[in-house]
Amino acid sequence: MSAWAVLVAAGRGTRAGLDTNKVFYPLEGRSPLSRSLDAIAQTGLYEGIVLVLSKDDFLAYRALTAREGACSLVKSVVAGGKTRQESAFAGLKVVPESVEWVSIHDAARPFAGEALFRATLDAARETGSGVISTDVTDTVKRVEEGRAVETLARERLRAVQTPQSFRRAEILRAHMAALADGFAGTDDASLYEREFGSATLVTADGARENVKLTHRGDFLRGDIRMGTGYDVHRLVEGRPLVLCGVTIPWEKGLLGHSDADVALHALMDAMLGALGEGDIGRHFPDSGEQYRGIASTELLRRVVELAREKGYRLGNCDVTVVAQAPKLAPYIEEMRANVARVLGVDISRVNIKATTTERLGFEGEGLGISAQAVAVMRSEAG
Ligand code: MG
């Protein structure tokens, strides 16, 4: 009753838009490939794993095992082919003949747990095949030249995933027959159906969570990052006092290359810090003529744009302005509304407060104003 797993990780992951094969991309600190190998090992159902990699990824795999640890169940690492079908076949061919059952799984589905593997193996032992599936919640249409020509009956449709389990000799035979006939299928079950008439679809707890990591957002979803910012500007006569984009009537204003909005500078530094993007000095240097006198709300808009390009938006922020005078309380709500509007978030996500320093230090002596900020950035789905 011995069973092995074939883990297919030879895809390019081009749809993920990442610069490496997506299964090597760290997902909250651990790659999908390592997670998938661990998941298979932890089922306790398999005596060996054949890992199928793209030839180009052998070095990356070696680096990965050095970084994240090797899975002792991996007995062979083989090079995949041009298609998923060729890759699965390459893996199946090296499973020892003494092995009776084999489960084929995609490394891009790192959340498959023991229940799914067990369900497909149980079904395979009973009927010859076992394929994880879920019901279809979207309406599915058949299209021709971009126009819907038929709406399929949803209750008769199933979405099919991996793992898929088979008798080793039978799925190997199905692959060889497909190869001989030039038949291309998108999963192993389709080759099995072709050879043996049908495959058994099973559902198990966790099938819904067994997502295939495909797009960039799949890797970023749920990522939360925090950054801090701090800034000081000198108070001088003959300049306007601008805080969070609000011009506050006062005898002095802040000195700086831009509008010297110390509060927004601290906030932008917090946001850039969360994104691992340095600080505003790097993005909008003082030496740049194009930033002379520029409104910091405009700079903040660009930071928001940068964050969006990286797949993040502000979760919340908290800004403290330290000034002995003027009294800022009457302007706080307008400042919050301003910042929330530029950030494109609800005002409840923006907190701004002001404090004095009991006349201590440069703020207390009225020589300057400082600001501190904390920002949490959240990854956006999709
Ligand atoms: Mg500044």
Side-chain angles (χ1 to χ4, degrees):
M1 297 293 270
S2 61
W4 276 39
V6 171
L7 186 65
V8 182
R12 297 222 171 276
T14 43
R15 278 177 297 181
L18 304 167
D19 48 10
T20 56
N21 180 342
K22 62 183 175 181
V23 299
F24 290 96
Y25 192 85
L27 186 69
E28 286 168 27
R30 200 157 170 76
S31 63
L33 178 53
S34 290
R35 286 171 185 268
S36 293
L37 287 168
D38 288 351
I40 294 170
Q42 281 164 13
T43 63
L45 298 168
Y46 301 96
E47 287 94 72
I49 298 173
V50 176
L51 174 60
V52 187
L53 290 177
S54 159
K55 264 207 312 284
D56 300 337
D57 285 333
F58 276 75
L59 278 179
Y61 175 65
R62 199 196 289 176
L64 183 84
T65 57
R67 197 168 61 241
E68 300 185 1
C71 173
S72 61
L73 223 52
V74 174
K75 306 297 185 197
S76 309
V77 182
V78 299
K82 286 191 292 293
T83 63
R84 187 195 175 281
Q85 184 173 326
E86 286 179 23
S87 296
F89 187 42
L92 283 170
K93 282 191 291 192
V94 302
V95 176
E97 279 182 27
S98 60
V99 173
E100 196 171 2
W101 305 100
V102 64
S103 299
I104 304 168
H105 187 52
D106 290 325
R109 293 188 190 271
F111 307 118
E114 192 243 341
L116 301 196
F117 286 96
R118 185 179 293 280
T120 66
L121 269 181
D122 285 351
R125 283 172 175 145
E126 213 168 292
T127 68
S129 63
V131 177
I132 278 296
S133 68
T134 63
D135 52 358
V136 174
T137 52
D138 292 330
T139 296
V140 179
K141 294 181 190 288
R142 198 165 60 77
V143 294
E144 280 172 16
E145 292 169 358
R147 294 177 69 89
V149 294
E150 186 187 358
T151 300
L152 303 177
R154 194 162 63 184
E155 59 280 8
R156 297 185 59 194
L157 298 173
R158 304 289 289 173
V160 164
Q161 309 177 339
T162 67
Q164 302 188 346
S165 297
F166 309 93
R167 193 181 290 279
R168 184 197 60 82
E170 289 183 349
I171 191 62
L172 199 58
R173 184 178 124 194
H175 265 274
M176 288 192 286
L179 182 66
D181 300 341
F183 175 80
T186 52
D187 70 345
D188 302 285
S190 57
L191 310 189
Y192 185 90
E193 290 154 30
R194 189 174 165 273
E195 188 70 9
F196 297 99
S198 68
T200 303
L201 301 182
V202 293
T203 304
D205 285 347
R208 183 64 63 200
E209 290 77 46
N210 183 29
V211 292
K212 186 173 188 177
L213 300 173
T214 306
H215 300 288
R216 197 162 182 274
D218 297 337
F219 289 82
L220 296 176
R221 189 165 296 152
D223 194 21
I224 291 178
R225 290 154 160 251
M226 198 272 286
T228 71
Y230 174 70
D231 196 24
V232 176
H233 281 261
R234 191 183 290 273
L235 272 171
V236 295
E237 284 174 3
R239 290 266 303 181
L241 175 60
V242 182
L243 292 171
C244 294
V246 178
T247 303
I248 296 166
W250 182 238
E251 62 203 33
K252 290 180 177 177
L254 294 170
L255 183 64
H257 186 70
S258 63
D259 62 1
D261 189 331
V262 67
L264 289 190
H265 291 187
L267 174 59
M268 285 187 275
D269 271 350
M271 293 171 67
L272 291 168
L275 298 170
E277 280 288 332
D279 59 20
I280 54 171
R282 188 172 117 197
H283 291 270
F284 316 114
D286 273 0
S287 55
E289 262 320 295
Q290 69 267 40
Y291 303 120
R292 180 174 298 282
I294 194 168
S296 294
T297 46
E298 170 58 23
L299 301 181
L300 180 62
R301 200 187 58 69
R302 294 184 198 183
V303 171
V304 170
E305 189 55 37
L306 172 80
R308 186 173 297 136
E309 280 166 19
K310 295 189 67 132
Y312 290 83
R313 61 181 298 151
L314 184 112
N316 74 297
C317 65
D318 189 13
V319 181
T320 303
V321 181
V322 185
Q324 193 62 44
K327 276 233 165 309
L328 297 177
Y331 307 99
I332 293 287
E333 282 312 301
E334 192 183 345
M335 289 158 69
R336 285 179 77 196
N338 238 357
V339 172
R341 189 165 53 244
V342 177
L343 291 173
V345 300
D346 187 78
I347 194 165
S348 67
R349 295 181 181 274
V350 177
N351 195 64
I352 296 170
K353 51 200 193 290
T355 184
T356 69
T357 59
E358 303 285 341
R359 303 201 171 278
L360 296 168
F362 67 85
E363 300 102 328
E365 292 171 29
L367 300 175
I369 294 179
S370 69
Q372 302 180 25
V374 173
V376 171
M377 304 299 289
R378 303 187 306 173
S379 58
E380 299 186 289

